[in-house]
Amino acid sequence: MSAYAVSGYGNYLNLIALSLFTYKVTGTALGVGAAMALRLFSGFLAGLTAGALAGRVTRRTVMIWTDVAQGAAMTVLVLTASTTPVWLLAVAVVVLGAGNTFFTVALRSAVPVMVGQEARARANGLLVTARSLATVLGFASAAPVIGFGGYAAAFAINAVSFLCSAAALLVLRPRTDDEGQEEQEEQEGQEEQDLPADTASRGGAESPVRAGRGLRLWRGTAGVPSLVLGMILLRGIDALASSSHNIALPVVAHSAAPDEPALFMTRFWAAWAVGTVLAHLVLKRRQGEAAWDERAFALGTCAMSLSFVAAFLGLPAFALVGAAVSAGFADGWTEIVHTSRLQAVPDRQRGRLFGLSATAEQSGFALGTVAATAALETLPAPAVVGAFHGVAVCGGLVLLLFTFGRRGAARRSR
């Protein structure tokens, strides 16, 4: 957990440092946008393949090698900070985007194996808390670190953070994969090899294994409740909505506090982090699977969006802090509930579902970033944030209605 927090701190420190460094290398805002798009696109592609990769190698191996790869990319930037060519920067961005997705999917899929199903929600809460604190510390320390040691210092800290995470995985050797799962995968692979050559062409009932694997990307979703897939879709819509307040917050900070925009943003994100910690403290006391169902996720998404919209209404300082805490609470709530619900599915489906979720989130955030940036050119920030989060509220209400409909049908069938 500590290694994950250290790695998260390095990531959020690097998020600011790499953006500023990209502008220095390319000399244009278009270059910064292209680098962000490249990072999101590489994460999108990684999400499509993360589940399949987890079925071929252990999750611990995936996490170690992605840490090593990202650490190596940062080390290269440290050594070439004064004369980094654009192509090398692009390679580093791709490694970071894909590596972060592979690591996140492997970690979230491994949590139930590492701590047990009963303790998974508590572990998810600790991970969310660690990430939230790392976010605030990383953003707050970016300016002094870059000012004191330059971009090379920020990249070096990020490289060390990745190595700390990899070292912890190597030394502690956590159990990340169900032993029975490996045997099942090998057995299914042998069944495919033993099929007659003409079986694949006939399909239907004569080729049950091959038919179930027509599209390997979606193989892991067979038998998954439609409400769980609805949660993943809503998670993507949530990411689209979240892009709007991430883009609009610096604009509001310069308008509301022109002398201290950085302090304004630090105060906002610190209050948000407090909210995520409170969400963990509340959820860890809840018992039963109902605490992690689709209804809890839909309600949390609606509350989060409404809180972020309220934060952009020009509230006084104390009310703004309250809105940020509320948004953080709902944000932490939805992430813990979403992750815990997906972890409840069988181990062989878990990696593919988390890969699908990562793809939805990357796609939503990328699309939202482009759309929100364009909208802010002509519309005020409150209108943009309200419109984007309004879509998320509508999505949450639709999922909520489906949960009531399914439960009503289940009662009538008894």
Side-chain angles (χ1 to χ4, degrees):
M1 191 68 64
S2 298
Y4 174 77
V6 171
S7 178
Y9 165 74
N11 278 334
Y12 287 104
L13 167 64
N14 185 57
L15 190 63
I16 294 179
L18 191 61
S19 296
L20 296 173
F21 182 71
T22 301
Y23 184 80
K24 175 187 173 184
V25 172
T26 62
T28 64
L30 179 61
V32 178
M36 179 181 292
L38 184 61
R39 184 167 183 165
L40 290 171
F41 183 67
S42 60
F44 168 82
L45 293 180
L48 294 176
T49 59
L53 179 63
R56 285 170 164 71
V57 296
T58 66
R59 294 167 181 141
R60 176 172 167 269
T61 300
V62 172
M63 289 188 282
I64 290 173
W65 280 110
T66 52
D67 274 335
V68 170
Q70 292 177 92
M74 286 294 94
T75 302
V76 170
L77 291 185
V78 171
L79 299 176
T80 64
S82 58
T83 58
T84 303
V86 174
W87 68 266
L88 184 59
L89 176 62
V91 171
V93 167
V94 169
V95 172
L96 292 173
N100 181 66
T101 298
F102 280 130
F103 183 94
T104 301
V105 170
L107 175 62
R108 290 178 174 177
S109 303
V111 165
V113 183
M114 295 168 67
V115 302
Q117 282 287 354
E118 294 299 322
R120 73 183 191 277
R122 178 180 175 84
N124 292 329
L126 290 173
L127 290 173
V128 170
T129 299
R131 190 207 62 189
S132 300
L133 296 176
T135 301
V136 176
L137 292 175
F139 285 165
S141 63
V145 168
I146 296 172
F148 179 77
Y151 296 113
F155 297 153
I157 291 174
N158 195 204
V160 171
S161 72
F162 285 126
L163 295 180
C164 286
S165 177
L169 290 166
L170 283 169
V171 173
L172 299 177
R173 300 184 64 82
R175 179 169 173 262
T176 60
D177 295 83
D178 187 357
E179 295 177 359
Q181 168 66 13
E182 296 178 5
E183 296 176 359
Q184 186 176 21
E185 292 285 348
E186 292 178 0
Q187 181 179 0
E188 290 179 352
Q190 186 61 42
E191 288 175 357
E192 284 191 351
Q193 295 176 7
D194 292 342
L195 286 175
D198 61 339
T199 304
S201 62
R202 292 198 298 266
E206 297 180 5
S207 56
V209 175
R210 182 70 66 184
R213 294 170 179 256
L215 291 175
R216 298 185 66 86
L217 173 61
W218 306 102
R219 183 185 66 180
T221 65
V224 175
S226 58
L227 287 177
V228 174
L229 299 179
M231 288 179 67
I232 293 176
L233 176 60
L234 181 56
R235 190 68 176 169
I237 297 173
D238 172 26
L240 182 144
S242 296
S243 66
S244 66
H245 66 250
N246 279 280
I247 298 296
L249 188 60
V251 177
V252 173
H254 280 88
S255 175
D259 296 330
E260 297 178 319
L263 179 61
F264 180 94
M265 292 186 64
T266 300
R267 186 187 300 119
F268 181 91
W269 287 119
W272 170 85
V274 170
T276 61
V277 174
L278 292 175
H280 164 57
L281 295 177
V282 171
L283 280 172
K284 75 176 184 178
R285 299 179 183 276
R286 300 194 60 175
Q287 302 294 328
E289 290 300 317
W292 324 112
D293 65 6
E294 298 83 3
R295 184 181 299 181
F297 177 71
L299 290 172
T301 300
C302 293
M304 177 183 61
S305 289
L306 293 174
S307 297
F308 272 118
V309 171
F312 284 81
L313 296 180
L315 302 174
F318 71 92
L320 175 62
V321 170
V325 171
S326 176
F329 182 90
D331 205 350
W333 176 286
T334 54
E335 179 163 352
I336 296 170
V337 170
H338 173 76
T339 304
S340 300
R341 180 63 186 90
L342 263 60
Q343 287 168 347
V345 304
D347 186 79
R348 65 188 303 270
Q349 295 175 323
R350 202 177 300 143
R352 297 182 184 277
L353 281 183
F354 275 112
L356 185 61
S357 179
T359 299
E361 292 175 42
Q362 295 281 357
S363 303
F365 196 84
L367 177 61
T369 298
V370 174
T373 301
L376 284 169
E377 293 294 326
T378 56
L379 297 173
V384 174
V385 174
F388 276 67
H389 278 286
V391 174
V393 170
C394 291
L397 292 176
V398 170
L399 180 60
L400 194 61
L401 289 174
F402 271 104
T403 64
F404 282 114
R406 285 296 179 90
R407 293 186 180 185
R411 292 193 191 98
R412 290 191 295 271
S413 65
R414 292 195 185 107

